[in-house]
Structures are given as C-alpha cells and as structure tokens.
C-alpha cells in the first residue's frame, strides 16, 4: 500500500451505533458511497455533500480562505504564489483563484503530491528529484479520492515526527470540531502573534484535551494554555507537540477496554510509512489502577503521571503494538541495564519510584497485589540481614553482588551466601524466593530484581 492510500479511502458508515469502520481498505470512495450511501459527516450533519462540495463549502472555508492557513501543503496551489503575492496579503478573490487552480489540476492533470496528499512529487523537471522508487504502474485515482486525500491527512494526529490516523468515528468527529476551534484562535484579533499551518500538531493537543478529564464545554484560551497547548518561539506563539503517552492515557479514559488500530506515517517533504499499529488502551487503565493502589492517591495529574510513561515513539512502534511494553518509562532503562539505584535525594525520585514500580508490577505475570506486598517484604528481609552485620561485607553482598546479578543463577548464588545468617522466618522466605526465581522467565526476573532493588532503596531511606 502506498503512503497515503489509507487517507484516500476515507469513506462512509451506515450508522454510529454499529461502529462501521470509516476506512474500508479495498473500496474506492465511489464504491463506498454506493454501498453505504452517505459519508460520516453527512450522516451526522444531515447533509448530502460530495467530496468536492465538502471541500468547497467546509474544508476550504476553514483551512484556506483566511490570511492564516490551518495547513501548509508544499507545492500545492494554495502556497504557490505569483510575483508579489504573499499568503497573508491575498484577498478573497485571489484565494478563490487558488481554489480554482486546485480544481483544474484534479480535473486535468496526472495525480502528484502537490494536489493529492500522500502521492509522490510531480515528474516535472523542477520537482522530480524529490521522489525515488516510484512505480511506473498507473494506478487509477478518482477525483473523489483526490479531494478525500486532503480530508484524511488533515484528520491525522501529530505526535512528534509521526502522524496517527484512527478509524474511530468519535475521534474523527472530535477532530473536525477542533478544526473550528483552531480557526477561531487564528482569527482572534488579540492573538496576532499566533502562528498557523499546524493543524496536525493541533489535532494531537485537541484530541488529548477533548478526551481528558479536564475538558469542559465552556473552555477558553486560558484553559488551553494551562493544558499545555502552546509554546513561544522567537515571539511567535505555536502549538506544542503532545507526547504520545499523554494522548494514549486520554483516549483510555473515554474509550477503555478497546484496541484502536492506527495508521502511522508522516506526510511532509519526505513521506514515511510505519504501518498499522494497534493501541491497547486497556493498558492505560491498568497502570492507573495499580498506581492508585500503590500511592492511595485517587487524583492523578498529567504532570506526575501521563508524561512520565512511554518510550521513544519510533521504538514503541517497532514492538508491533502500543501497550504496556511501549509505556515503559524512559528513565527506568538505566536502572535495569546499569548498576544504579534510586537515590531518593529529592521529591522527583519518590515520584519516579512509584511510576517505575507501577510499570514493573503491571509487567509481571504474578498476581498484582501479591507482587506489591511480596517485594516489600523481601526487601525488609534483605535490609534486616544487611543491618545485622557489623562490617561492610553484608552491605557489599547485597548492593554490589545480589542487586547487580545479571542472571537468575548469579542471584540465587548470592542468596545462598545469605542463608547461614538468617533466622528461621527469614530463611523460609528466602528459600521460597529461590524456588520462585527458578520458575521465572529471564524477562520476569529482570523486572522482579529491579523492583526488589527499588523497594530496598525506598525502605532504607525510610529507616
């Protein structure tokens, strides 16, 4: 499938209740229109607009019939200026001429990336160096598909260098509503320093906010600012990029226990395709449940939770799905792969401790409540063993050998060294631990030993 093929298959649903996919792979928009009879937007707003009519009446009016654009499409008629023209100085008649030029290209020219989003650059001499490995097989593209490519691209959600496109009606309709909010902000005479052309990045912020607990119907600019929509750069106010984990947790609040399929790509000067990636939203619910039980805190804020989870998004996609593995906190890696432990020198260390512990418990296959208490009790046993010694030999055994063991065998060998100095109760607990470690996978052992190390450091700090 070519980059952007998913975009041009934006099609129809019979109803919202049945959750019929908006993107039907293998059917052209025309075929979908015949079979499903009406587009999602037409269904909701009770209209019967063709893709071209929707482009003229809705899309163009929101995106391009203003001094500030919502989106910049390289080499498109909307950004190709004649001598002396500048986007912010175009009058209404000049903007309509740009629209007519787009219609002309769609009617008469071979599709290329300047007017069909996701397609390769034009083969004309001045553009042909920007595309490579383009097939010479002619792929039929209807005029409806050309218009629909614009809508599909503008419905994608920006998370860093990548765009996500979900086939969930509730998400797509919320993004459409967000376009209108973004347009109002760009047209606000009090926000002349607000930059445009960021609709994909805006979609990320808006979708996260719309599905978040903080969302209120009567919101204003201050609410959006407090949520983190904007950043200032060289005197220009811009939309800040949302972290993908924050979007993930917002969606998990309103669409829990669901797996959403996202098309992940990037359409810009160079197009990139990652593919179809499932988002396992239940993982977000599980993490929050565990965190609350660990901290007895029912009020979790994004500042100390949502943004602390999640590895690099490209690396997360390489896992094949976005779930618990992908939500691994970035800061945890150094404690698992290096001989380090949390120092608890500041409040941030304590927050990280509970975040890391939340993820480690979620990843382990044992009963979650049991793991929570079990590692704490074991950490107490090991701390008693260390404190009952008079020299540094026990401290070194625990911190330099036991916790630095890279394999189950090494860990058990160091436990065996401890056995002769344990009382009857602690001895029984350590023997049970030895048996359980034998049954762990290497991956589970890595999680377990890291969690035990953290609990030990936390108890040591408390003592």
């Amino acid at each position: 499938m070519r980059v952007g093929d998913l975009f041009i298959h934006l099609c129809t649903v019979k109803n919202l209740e049945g959750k019929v996919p908006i993107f039907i792979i293998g059917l052209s928009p025309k075929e979908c229109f015949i079979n499903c009879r009406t587009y999602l937007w037409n269904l909701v707003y009770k209209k019967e607009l063709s893709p071209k009519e929707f482009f003229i009446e809705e899309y163009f009016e929101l995106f391009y019939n203003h001094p500030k654009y919502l989106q910049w499409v390289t080499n498109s008629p909307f950004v190709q200026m004649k001598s002396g023209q500048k986007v912010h100085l175009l009058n209404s008649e000049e903007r309509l001429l740009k629209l007519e030029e787009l219609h002309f290209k769609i009617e008469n020219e071979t599709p290329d990336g300047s007017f069909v989003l996701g397609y390769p650059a034009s083969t004309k001499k001045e553009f042909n160096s920007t595309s490579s490995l383009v097939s010479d097989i002619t792929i039929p593209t209807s005029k409806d598909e050309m218009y629909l490519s614009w809508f599909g691209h503008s419905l994608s959600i920006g998370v860093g260098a990548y765009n996500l496109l979900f086939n969930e009606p509730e998400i797509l309709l919320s993004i459409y509503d967000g376009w209108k909010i973004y347009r109002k902000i760009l047209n606000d005479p009090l926000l002349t320093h607000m930059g445009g052309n960021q609709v994909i990045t805006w979609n990320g912020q808006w979708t996260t906010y719309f599905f978040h607990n903080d969302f209120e119907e009567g919101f204003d600019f201050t609410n959006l600012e407090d949520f983190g929509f904007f950043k200032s750069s060289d005197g220009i106010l811009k939309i800040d990029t949302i972290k993908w984990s924050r979007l993930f947790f917002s969606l998990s609040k309103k669409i829990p226990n669901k797996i959403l399929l996202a098309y992940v790509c990037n359409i810009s000067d160079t197009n990139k395709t990652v593919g179809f990636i499932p988002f396992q939203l239940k993982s977000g619910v599980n993490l929050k449940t565990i965190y609350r039980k660990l901290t007895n805190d029912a009020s979790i804020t994004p500042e100390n939770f949502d943004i602390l989870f999640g590895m690099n998004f490209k690396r997360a996609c390489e896992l094949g799905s976005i779930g618990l593995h992908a939500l691994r906190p970035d800061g945890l890696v150094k404690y698992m792969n290096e001989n380090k432990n949390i120092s608890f020198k500041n409040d941030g260390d304590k927050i990280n401790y509970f975040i890391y512990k939340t993820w480690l418990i979620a990843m382990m296959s044992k009963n979650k409540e049991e793991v929570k208490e079990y590692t704490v009790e074991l950490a107490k046993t090991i701390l008693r063993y260390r404190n009952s010694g008079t020299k540094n030999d026990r401290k070194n055994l625990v911190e330099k050998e036991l916790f630095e063991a890279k394999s189950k065998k090494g860990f058990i060998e160091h436990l065996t060294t401890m056995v002769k100095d344990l009382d009857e109760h602690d001895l029984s607990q350590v023997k049970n631990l030895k048996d359980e470690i034998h049954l762990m996978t290497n991956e589970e052992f890595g999680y377990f030993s890291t969690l035990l190390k953290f609990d030990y450091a936390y108890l040591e700090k408390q003592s």
Side-chain angles (χ1 to χ4, degrees):
M1 178 172 288
R2 295 164 301 169
V3 176
D5 271 3
L6 184 68
F7 295 152
I8 65 173
H9 288 297
L10 174 64
C11 54
T12 67
V13 294
K14 291 180 181 178
N15 57 70
L16 290 178
E17 297 299 325
K19 301 292 184 184
V20 180
I22 294 174
F23 299 95
I24 304 178
I25 304 304
L27 295 182
S28 70
K30 180 179 180 181
E31 290 169 324
C32 293
F33 189 85
I34 292 172
N35 286 297
C36 302
R37 302 204 176 146
T38 181
Y39 292 94
L40 172 63
W41 186 87
N42 282 335
L43 176 68
V44 173
Y45 292 95
K46 297 182 174 23
K47 293 187 179 183
E48 296 183 1
L49 300 183
S50 69
K52 181 177 181 179
E53 289 169 337
F54 180 84
F55 196 104
I56 296 169
E57 296 183 24
E58 291 285 330
Y59 189 84
F60 172 72
E61 289 300 324
L62 280 171
F63 276 69
Y64 295 110
N65 199 16
H66 302 270
K68 290 181 183 178
Y69 291 169
L70 263 62
Q71 178 174 255
W72 188 274
V73 177
T74 303
N75 295 327
S76 73
F78 298 114
V79 304
Q80 290 290 339
M81 298 291 117
K82 295 179 180 179
S83 178
Q85 286 187 332
K86 294 185 181 298
V87 168
H88 66 284
L89 297 177
L90 295 176
N91 57 41
S92 180
E93 183 179 347
E94 288 172 320
R95 287 194 288 268
L96 286 173
L97 287 175
K98 302 289 184 189
L99 176 62
E100 289 301 320
E101 186 179 344
L102 176 70
H103 295 327
F104 179 85
K105 283 178 172 287
I106 288 176
E107 290 289 336
N108 299 286
E109 296 187 9
T110 302
D112 65 59
S114 70
F115 63 96
V116 185
L117 276 64
Y119 270 58
S122 170
T123 56
K124 292 179 180 179
K125 184 177 180 180
E126 62 268 35
F127 300 125
N128 63 8
S129 62
T130 60
S131 295
S132 63
L133 301 178
V134 178
S135 172
D136 60 357
I137 299 173
T138 302
I139 301 175
T141 306
S142 73
K143 294 177 177 60
D144 280 353
E145 288 176 322
M146 298 183 198
Y147 287 109
L148 290 168
S149 71
W150 290 72
F151 311 153
H153 179 51
S154 302
L155 287 167
S156 60
I157 298 170
V159 287
Y162 293 93
N163 303 349
L164 312 178
L165 194 56
F166 292 103
N167 65 344
E168 184 70 18
E170 189 176 359
I171 293 176
L172 295 174
L173 288 170
S174 71
I175 292 173
Y176 168 75
D177 290 336
W179 290 350
K180 292 180 281 188
I181 305 300
Y182 187 31
R183 170 48 61 199
K184 287 182 180 178
I185 290 175
L186 290 183
N187 288 358
D188 192 324
L190 298 179
L191 297 173
T192 55
H193 59 306
M194 184 76 201
N197 303 316
Q198 285 191 275
V199 72
I200 307 301
T201 307
W202 165 269
N203 290 344
Q205 288 282 3
W206 171 257
T207 306
T208 303
Y209 179 61
F210 183 83
F211 288 96
H212 197 273
N213 289 338
D214 289 346
F215 178 77
E216 298 177 3
E217 290 291 345
F219 68 89
D220 56 21
F221 183 84
T222 302
N223 297 124
L224 302 184
E225 193 172 30
D226 291 342
F227 193 77
F229 269 65
F230 311 107
K231 65 178 180 180
S232 181
S233 176
D234 298 326
I236 302 296
L237 197 61
K238 298 181 178 180
I239 310 298
D240 200 5
T241 303
I242 200 74
K243 185 176 179 181
W244 73 263
S245 61
R246 200 173 185 198
L247 170 69
F248 184 97
F249 281 109
S250 275
L251 293 175
S252 72
K253 290 183 178 76
K254 297 296 174 68
I255 317 177
N257 304 321
K258 192 162 190 176
I259 298 176
L260 294 181
L261 191 64
Y263 182 67
V264 182
C265 66
N266 174 267
I267 298 221
S268 57
D269 293 340
T270 57
N271 297 334
K272 302 173 185 177
T273 300
V274 173
F276 294 93
I277 305 292
F279 276 59
Q280 302 173 19
L281 297 181
K282 188 175 181 179
S283 301
V285 178
N286 290 343
L287 286 171
K288 289 202 168 183
T289 300
I290 294 170
Y291 183 86
R292 290 190 180 104
K293 289 179 179 178
L294 287 175
T295 62
N296 297 316
D297 186 1
S299 59
I300 301 172
T301 61
E303 287 72 27
N304 66 5
F305 191 82
D306 297 18
I307 61 175
L308 296 177
F309 286 93
M311 61 177 65
N312 175 274
F313 187 66
K314 181 181 179 182
R315 174 70 184 93
C317 289
E318 290 173 358
L319 297 173
S321 68
I322 305 295
L324 279 177
H325 274 87
L327 287 165
R328 184 194 66 201
D330 257 347
L332 175 59
V333 178
K334 63 184 177 183
Y335 297 109
M336 296 183 67
N337 297 335
E338 302 175 24
N339 300 326
K340 292 184 177 182
N341 206 344
I342 302 176
S343 64
F344 293 100
K345 292 181 178 178
N346 52 58
D347 291 340
D349 285 340
K350 186 175 180 180
I351 292 173
N352 286 336
Y353 163 68
F354 284 110
I355 291 293
Y356 299 161
K357 184 168 183 175
T358 295
W359 186 83
L360 290 167
I361 289 176
M363 288 299 297
M364 297 187 68
S365 59
K366 288 173 64 70
N367 177 280
K368 308 308 181 195
E369 286 293 330
E370 189 179 322
V371 171
K372 169 190 169 184
E373 300 300 329
Y374 186 52
T375 52
V376 171
E377 291 305 313
L378 284 171
K380 289 179 180 178
T381 297
I382 294 172
L383 190 60
R384 281 196 298 271
Y385 167 81
R386 194 210 73 174
N387 290 338
S388 61
T390 56
K391 298 181 180 179
N392 284 334
D393 54 340
R394 293 191 180 185
K395 177 180 172 65
N396 291 335
L397 173 63
V398 170
E399 298 177 7
K400 301 296 183 183
E401 297 184 52
L402 183 70
F403 290 149
E404 292 184 9
K406 300 301 182 183
S407 66
K408 294 190 294 182
K409 180 182 177 182
F411 191 88
I412 291 173
E413 287 176 352
H414 298 312
L415 281 180
T416 303
T417 304
M418 295 169 52
V419 166
K420 61 183 176 62
D421 297 312
L422 298 174
D423 61 28
E424 185 175 345
H425 175 268
D426 290 346
L427 179 61
S428 175
Q429 192 175 48
V430 168
K431 284 183 176 179
N432 289 336
L433 171 60
K434 175 185 173 182
D435 293 338
E436 292 193 22
I437 287 177
H438 272 301
L439 299 176
M440 291 180 184
T441 65
N442 290 331
E443 184 180 34
E444 286 175 333
F445 170 72
Y447 299 147
F448 173 83
S449 60
T450 303
L451 181 56
L452 181 61
K453 179 172 68 174
F454 287 164
D455 284 337
Y456 170 87
Y458 180 72
L459 291 172
E460 182 185 34
K461 191 66 177 180
Q462 301 299 105
S463 61

